[in-house]
């Protein structure tokens, strides 16, 4: 279902909703232009590209070892892309394969101790950058941001899920 943005249309989104979209694009552009992910990887001592870091962080925050397909699903990319990244991370000793207890033919991927430490350094660098960016905000503003951003992510994810089902 497409959204009609004509303000004369009764079902058109309100001006405050329309104002969010360019601000999200502006934030995305600022983060990308500022090479935040690359800077965090450098600060963490990781000579990895963004996709490899994404796989490593996805594995690190997972509550268990994951199959390639599960990593791809969580990252919203295709399996062969993840397979290449996992192979590169394996060669560097940052992830390893473990047997799938439910299927002997399959293997699961998990970070090594070194991989987990690298992911922690990367996340710490990102968190530090964002903490500095909002250091002058009140506690209430920071709490509001966390609450509203969490709500936005949950609602957008749920809405996209419904669109994919329908």
């Amino acid at each position: 279902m497409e959204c009609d943005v004509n303000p004369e249309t009764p079902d058109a989104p309100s001006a405050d909703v329309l104002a969010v979209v360019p601000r999200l694009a502006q934030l995305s552009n600022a983060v990308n232009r500022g090479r935040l992910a690359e800077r965090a990887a450098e600060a963490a001592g990781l000579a990895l590209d963004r996709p490899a870091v994404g796989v490593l962080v996805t594995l690190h925050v997972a509550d268990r070892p994951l199959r390639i397909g599960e990593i791809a699903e969580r990252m919203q990319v295709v399996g062969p892309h993840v397979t290449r990244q996992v192979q590169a991370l394996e060669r560097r000793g940052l992830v390893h394969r473990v047997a799938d207890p439910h299927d002997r033919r399959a293997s699961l991927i998990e970070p090594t101790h070194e991989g987990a430490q690298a992911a922690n350094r990367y996340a710490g660098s990102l968190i530090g950058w964002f903490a500095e960016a909002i250091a002058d905000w009140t506690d209430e503003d920071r709490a509001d941001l966390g609450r509203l951003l969490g709500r936005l992510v949950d609602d957008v994810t749920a809405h996209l899920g419904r669109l994919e089902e329908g």
Side-chain angles (χ1 to χ4, degrees), residues 25-161:
Q26 185 180 13
L27 176 61
S28 176
N29 289 337
V31 167
N32 287 331
R33 240 189 353 262
R35 297 181 47 254
L36 186 56
E38 292 84 356
R39 290 173 192 248
E42 290 169 14
L46 293 172
L48 299 172
D49 60 13
R50 186 185 290 189
V53 171
V55 169
L56 185 60
V57 170
T58 297
L59 287 166
H60 183 59
V61 300
D63 57 347
R64 60 185 169 73
L66 301 174
R67 289 181 178 211
I68 295 287
E70 291 173 304
I71 300 167
E73 184 178 311
R74 289 179 184 209
M75 294 182 66
Q76 299 180 340
V77 297
V78 295
H81 169 76
V82 173
T83 299
R84 285 190 298 275
Q85 299 304 325
V86 165
Q87 290 169 344
L89 291 168
E90 279 181 302
R91 285 191 296 274
R92 299 188 71 160
L94 298 173
V95 302
H96 63 219
R97 295 175 190 265
V98 295
D100 185 336
H102 305 292
D103 183 353
R104 289 183 171 201
R105 299 166 296 163
S107 62
L108 302 172
I109 314 299
E110 68 181 0
T112 62
H113 178 71
E114 293 80 14
Q117 288 181 325
N120 280 336
R121 289 192 310 271
Y122 176 81
S125 179
L126 283 178
I127 291 166
W129 185 89
F130 280 105
E132 287 176 20
I134 62 173
D136 294 335
W137 290 24
T138 66
D139 290 345
E140 182 181 1
D141 284 347
R142 284 192 297 269
D144 286 346
L145 173 66
R147 179 181 57 79
L148 292 170
L149 190 55
R151 184 175 173 187
L152 176 65
V153 169
D154 291 346
D155 290 348
V156 166
T157 302
H159 185 67
L160 289 173

